[in-house]
Amino acid sequence: MVYGYARCSTNEERQDIERQKRELRSLGVSSEKNLYWEYESGMKDDRCELLKLLDIVQQGDTIVTTEVSRLTRSTKHLCEMLQIVKDRKLILNIGGSFVVDCSKGDELDPMSEGMIKMWAVFAEMERNIISMRVKSGMRNAKAKGKHIGRPRTTSDTIPDRFWKFNRMYQNREINVSDFARIMKCSRPTLYKYLSIANDAAK
């Protein structure tokens, strides 16, 4: 079985995860139910959808991701992921151009292992550089008296699509996963919308 994993760091209002999904389909993920995606930091090792994926894969299955940085931006976490691939005899396909095949129980080629770990080092370094730039920009903006942070989400700023399908959700015609897929957003974002909608209805 071929499973795909896609990830963006920020919410759906700022990054489009659909491009990754399209690439994963072209790399052999034939079923939508085998696509796992979320908006989470690549430094987190307890991401909900990734954990679900790792819980379901079996020996001989393939995990496909578009880039190492989509899987993780932590060198430590990548080493743990590679160990899981080896221990559970999985195949890891990165962008179609780099495949780690441990399905037959063979040892991972040291050159390949070194290369993929080096990618993780650069991915983590890139993330740290971006973080430093963002923090510097925030300090400069704050010093100039500008507002820092995202605009507060209210019932007026929730996407119109939510209100269109919320009634179907309330009537149990669709579940949370269906609703999130329709909205093209993460479950935490959807729960936030639902909470705001409930408060507005009181």
Side-chain angles (χ1 to χ4, degrees), residues 166-175:
N166 186 40
R167 180 167 294 182
M168 293 177 63
Y169 172 73
Q170 298 299 335
N171 292 336
R172 299 187 177 180
E173 297 174 38
I174 57 175
N175 59 29

Side-chain angles (χ1 to χ4, degrees), residues 132-148:
M132 287 177 62
R133 287 176 177 171
V134 169
K135 288 176 181 177
S136 176
M138 290 175 67
R139 285 195 298 268
N140 289 337
K142 189 174 181 180
K144 294 177 181 178
K146 295 182 179 179
H147 172 73
I148 304 298

Side-chain angles (χ1 to χ4, degrees), residues 3 50-63 80-91 101-105:
Y3 297 91
L50 180 59
L51 292 177
K52 285 181 183 178
L53 172 57
L54 294 177
D55 187 55
I56 200 172
V57 288
Q58 301 177 3
Q59 180 178 342
D61 286 345
T62 298
I63 297 175
E80 293 171 354
M81 287 287 298
L82 284 177
Q83 194 60 50
I84 290 172
V85 170
K86 288 188 282 188
D87 291 346
R88 297 174 65 177
K89 298 180 173 62
L90 305 172
I91 300 171
D101 188 348
C102 297
S103 60
K104 297 179 177 59

Side-chain angles (χ1 to χ4, degrees), residues 3-150:
Y3 297 91
Y5 178 75
R7 181 194 64 79
C8 282
S9 298
T10 56
N11 65 33
E12 66 284 351
E13 295 170 359
R14 295 174 61 190
Q15 289 189 353
D16 182 8
I17 207 166
E18 292 302 316
R19 177 187 61 79
Q20 289 183 55
K21 290 183 182 180
R22 288 193 296 270
E23 288 186 33
L24 292 175
R25 293 186 190 101
S26 72
L27 291 170
V29 184
S30 57
S31 174
E32 191 71 24
K33 69 179 182 180
N34 290 348
L35 270 176
Y36 290 77
W37 55 276
E38 57 194 334
Y39 291 91
E40 287 285 3
S41 167
M43 295 298 288
K44 290 182 63 177
D45 58 6
D46 59 348
R47 282 169 266 148
C48 179
E49 294 302 305
L50 180 59
L51 292 177
K52 285 181 183 178
L53 172 57
L54 294 177
D55 187 55
I56 200 172
V57 288
Q58 301 177 3
Q59 180 178 342
D61 286 345
T62 298
I63 297 175
V64 185
T65 189
T66 58
E67 305 170 21
V68 169
S69 62
R70 297 304 97 202
L71 191 62
T72 181
R73 283 189 179 273
S74 163
T75 307
K76 175 179 177 292
H77 187 217
L78 179 68
C79 291
E80 293 171 354
M81 287 287 298
L82 284 177
Q83 194 60 50
I84 290 172
V85 170
K86 288 188 282 188
D87 291 346
R88 297 174 65 177
K89 298 180 173 62
L90 305 172
I91 300 171
L92 177 61
N93 182 340
I94 302 172
S97 60
F98 194 91
V99 178
V100 177
D101 188 348
C102 297
S103 60
K104 297 179 177 59
D106 297 333
E107 284 294 317
L108 181 58
D109 169 45
M111 184 69 73
S112 299
E113 185 169 3
M115 185 176 295
I116 195 171
K117 287 179 179 178
M118 185 170 62
W119 286 350
V121 169
F122 283 115
E124 184 172 347
M125 182 175 67
E126 180 187 34
R127 184 262 178 194
N128 291 338
I129 290 172
I130 291 171
S131 178
M132 287 177 62
R133 287 176 177 171
V134 169
K135 288 176 181 177
S136 176
M138 290 175 67
R139 285 195 298 268
N140 289 337
K142 189 174 181 180
K144 294 177 181 178
K146 295 182 179 179
H147 172 73
I148 304 298
R150 298 176 186 171

